[in-house]
Amino acid sequence: MRSIWNGAISFGLVSIPIKLVNATESHSVAFRQIHTADGGRIRYRKVCELEETEVATSEIGKAYEDADGSLIPITDEDLASLPLPTAKTIEIVAFVPANEIDPIQIDAAYYLAANGVPAAKPYTLLCEALKRSQKVAIAKFALRGRERLGMLRVVDDVIAMHGLLWPDEIRTPEGIAPQTEVTVREAELDLADALMNTLGEVELDSLHDEYREAVEAMIAAKVEGGVAAPQAPPEEGRGKVIDLMAALEKSVRAAKEARGEEGEVAEVTALKSRSAPKTSGTRKSTATTAKKTAAKKTAATKSTATAAKKSAAKKTAAKSTAKSAAKSTEKSTAKKATARKRSSA
């Protein structure tokens, strides 16, 4: 890979000669501007406003535009004379845990290659030190005419450097969050968790640019003189959430079906139904009512039986009383009859 910058890493008193190489590349399909009437290329020409003539690149310099619109010429010598210690040096200033770097601050990515055999030993030393410390190095470096901030980390035994935006280049998210008061229910969070679990993880290497593939296929069809196959129209209603719960449930089902085709169905925790407590309560209430009714019937039956026993006892007592009274009457009559007979004699 072609280097875009040569310099050294300053690691305390250790200097490591390195070459800077781009770690990324764009695969986007490039288009040219044409005149739609005849297909001719549209090109830009650099013209001097004063002379109204085209100027060659070798004759073009730099200038700073002041607030009043006046231009202040700046030469390469002016920039070279600035006291910039990082002009040819990546100066490490600190080592910090990787989680202290906000991803929003990360910019372009580069690989740092050891420049020459003598650089191999200190390069490997820094690489192993970064691995063992589980930290990243924060550094300052100059590239394309300005000083930048960078983060050094290890990727497959190679030191990679990510350009970082300066803290004052990061905008605060003030006014971005929804300004209306929103309440998220537990059931909605449960469904969101279920959707996340169902979607699961993905191998990043398996992801690809489908739009670029479609553009390339369309271009290939045009080159061959054919007509590109029509693409399916985008789904309607995207971005319009009518029923959040219904949308979440539908998403969970779709994700499960998609993963089921691959033979991998994520386990989804069953959600608690809102009506479950009511049903349970109703069943308990019905059971309790039935028990109470049975108890009342039992009590009534016992009461009736007791009353019947008491009534029978009363009848028995009445009969006994009647018999006693009859016997007493018979005895009294017999005594009176005996007394009469004695009196007659």
Side-chain angles (χ1 to χ4, degrees), residues 33-218:
Q33 290 186 328
I34 62 170
H35 186 197
T36 56
D38 54 19
R41 278 283 303 274
I42 301 296
R43 297 181 183 273
Y44 291 98
R45 293 188 175 129
K46 297 179 179 180
V47 177
C48 174
E49 292 182 350
L50 299 179
E51 299 179 355
E52 295 185 354
T53 57
E54 188 174 350
V55 179
T57 302
S58 60
E59 299 178 15
I60 298 175
K62 292 185 283 287
Y64 175 79
E65 185 175 3
D66 206 354
D68 60 0
S70 61
L71 297 174
I72 303 171
I74 304 295
T75 66
D76 291 338
E77 290 74 17
D78 293 332
L79 296 175
S81 65
L82 294 175
L84 187 60
T86 57
K88 283 293 180 179
T89 304
I90 298 174
E91 182 184 352
I92 295 177
V93 296
F95 292 88
V96 300
N99 58 11
E100 289 189 10
I101 306 299
D102 191 332
I104 202 171
Q105 195 174 356
I106 297 176
D107 198 7
Y110 309 93
Y111 289 134
L112 305 182
N115 193 1
V117 176
K121 180 68 179 287
Y123 181 95
T124 305
L125 172 64
L126 176 58
C127 192
E128 293 300 322
L130 286 171
K131 284 182 183 178
R132 191 166 73 171
S133 68
Q134 296 185 343
K135 293 182 178 181
V136 296
I138 302 302
K140 296 167 82 174
F141 67 102
L143 184 65
R144 299 190 179 96
R146 73 184 187 94
E147 190 172 54
R148 301 165 185 255
L149 196 61
M151 177 186 74
L152 277 62
R153 68 185 184 98
V154 178
V155 178
D156 295 336
D157 295 327
V158 172
I159 298 176
M161 182 172 70
H162 298 271
L164 298 178
L165 299 174
W166 294 100
D168 60 0
E169 293 179 315
I170 306 296
R171 292 180 174 179
T172 59
E174 185 178 355
I176 303 298
Q179 301 300 307
T180 56
E181 186 176 349
V182 178
T183 301
V184 178
R185 295 179 294 169
E186 285 295 326
E188 293 168 340
L189 280 174
D190 290 341
L191 275 173
D193 288 342
L195 178 56
M196 292 168 64
N197 293 333
T198 304
L199 290 175
E201 299 179 355
V202 66
E203 290 290 337
L204 292 180
D205 291 341
S206 67
L207 302 178
H208 57 278
D209 189 345
E210 297 179 6
Y211 178 77
R212 175 170 60 89
E213 292 176 354
V215 171
E216 290 173 346
M218 175 193 65

Side-chain angles (χ1 to χ4, degrees), residues 248-315:
L248 286 168
E249 290 173 350
K250 185 177 179 181
S251 299
V252 171
R253 286 196 301 270
K256 288 176 68 176
E257 290 172 2
R259 292 185 68 83
E261 295 174 358
E262 301 173 0
E264 298 178 3
V265 180
E267 295 183 3
V268 181
T269 304
L271 302 178
K272 296 180 180 179
S273 172
R274 287 179 166 271
S275 59
K278 294 182 180 180
T279 304
S280 177
T282 303
R283 289 177 180 174
K284 288 181 179 179
S285 177
T286 304
T288 303
T289 304
K291 288 180 180 179
K292 288 181 179 179
T293 303
K296 287 181 180 179
K297 287 181 179 180
T298 303
T301 303
K302 289 181 178 179
S303 177
T304 304
T306 302
K309 287 180 180 179
K310 288 182 178 180
S311 177
K314 287 181 179 180
K315 288 181 180 180

